[in-house]
Amino acid sequence: MKSTIPETGVPIPQSDRQEASLHGEILLRLRDYVVEGNIPEGARVPERQLCEMLGISRTPLREALKVLAAEGLIELLPNRGARVRQLGARDLEELFDVVAGLESLAGRLACEAITDEEITAIERLHYEMYGHYLNSDMHGYFQVNQRIHESIVAAARNDTLHAAYASFAGRIRRVRYSANFARQRQRWGEAMREHEAILDALRRRAGSELSDILFQHLRNKRTAATEHLAAAQGATATSAAGS
């Protein structure tokens, strides 16, 4: 899995950027590292190792961890650091259904409010994502894919919806990434065709149609995610039995 965190400790320069920008870069790298499965589910977050990899002290790292905890990716343990949040099959089903409902509503509302410029921007993202797909670049594909979904939610012009989406989508960001491996190339191709349909409905501002497509798109992701979870649990059980 490709990660934005360097192999060896390279301090992030502070002289040429403001503190807010530095915090954002740390947060981006750390989020990618967790989302891409570099720390096992339920495992403690290795703070010392991450500080060395990022070239930072404990204070900015812990500030970034607080944000990831608010997003639902990790859990903060009182006086014991943090661990990666672990989700069960039922948790996944419920969370994906909620996110599917929110994206479905966002698609309907977006078709009422989206501008031509916003549609053009989403088109550009779509073709950028397609390029990553052709090059089998999972990291790039996932990053742009998330920006497309977030752009549709933003186009709904509903702050309450946007806040709820950010909260729930953050909790499944990690498994949403790993689910792309569940059916490998076959599922990836299906997802691209679904995105073609999403873009087509958005261009036509077909709210009801886009709403249905987005809901089914997330349902398909839910299936891939639960399959991936079951496979991972099966592999763990087999490994434990053989040891």
Side-chain angles (χ1 to χ4, degrees):
M1 297 181 186
K2 182 179 178 182
S3 173
T4 57
I5 291 186
E7 292 292 332
T8 57
V10 180
I12 299 173
Q14 301 183 41
S15 57
D16 297 327
R17 43 170 69 98
Q18 298 178 347
E19 185 176 346
S21 177
L22 174 61
H23 174 73
E25 185 171 349
I26 294 169
L27 179 61
L28 176 63
R29 291 184 177 185
L30 186 58
R31 183 189 290 117
D32 283 350
Y33 194 73
V34 174
V35 166
E36 293 171 11
N38 292 289
I39 306 172
E41 287 191 358
R44 295 282 292 275
V45 174
E47 292 189 20
R48 180 178 298 178
Q49 176 187 342
L50 291 175
C51 285
E52 293 175 356
M53 293 172 72
L54 289 166
I56 59 175
S57 67
R58 286 284 180 91
T59 298
L61 177 69
R62 287 174 176 172
E63 289 301 312
L65 289 175
K66 289 178 183 178
V67 177
L68 296 189
E71 293 178 357
L73 278 172
I74 67 169
E75 296 175 295
L76 297 178
L77 307 173
N79 303 315
R80 291 186 293 124
R83 68 184 174 197
V84 175
R85 183 183 291 274
Q86 189 168 20
L87 298 173
R90 186 57 185 166
D91 296 321
L92 287 182
E93 290 174 358
E94 292 180 354
L95 284 168
F96 267 97
D97 278 351
V98 170
V99 174
L102 292 172
E103 287 206 22
S104 176
L105 175 58
R108 187 182 296 272
L109 295 177
C111 286
E112 298 175 358
I114 197 166
T115 65
D116 291 341
E117 291 76 14
E118 286 173 317
I119 291 177
T120 298
I122 292 174
E123 286 179 332
R124 285 196 295 266
L125 289 173
H126 175 84
Y127 292 119
E128 181 181 348
M129 181 178 69
Y130 185 58
H132 291 307
Y133 165 74
L134 292 177
N135 291 315
S136 298
D137 177 5
M138 177 63 73
H139 176 83
Y141 172 89
F142 182 76
Q143 296 298 323
V144 180
N145 179 288
Q146 294 300 287
R147 289 169 61 192
I148 291 173
H149 285 275
E150 290 164 1
S151 295
I152 293 174
V153 173
R157 306 287 195 277
N158 187 305
D159 291 341
T160 301
L161 171 61
H162 191 276
Y165 177 78
S167 173
F168 287 106
R171 300 185 198 181
I172 58 172
R173 190 189 304 269
R174 175 186 168 100
V175 73
R176 199 166 175 171
Y177 179 89
S178 62
N180 286 294
F181 297 98
R183 296 184 186 174
Q184 300 179 344
R185 195 72 185 184
Q186 177 186 354
R187 170 58 197 148
W188 207 354
E190 291 171 1
M192 277 304 310
R193 287 189 289 274
E194 290 164 9
H195 266 273
E196 290 282 358
I198 288 169
L199 181 59
D200 177 63
L202 191 61
R203 284 170 175 153
R204 293 184 286 108
R205 291 176 169 82
S208 180
E209 182 180 340
L210 179 58
S211 177
D212 290 343
I213 293 170
L214 283 167
F215 189 86
Q216 188 57 51
H217 181 61
L218 266 293
R219 269 297 180 86
N220 292 341
K221 284 183 178 293
R222 186 188 79 166
T223 299
T226 53
E227 286 178 357
H228 180 77
L229 177 64
Q233 291 176 337
T236 300
T238 300
S239 176
S243 59

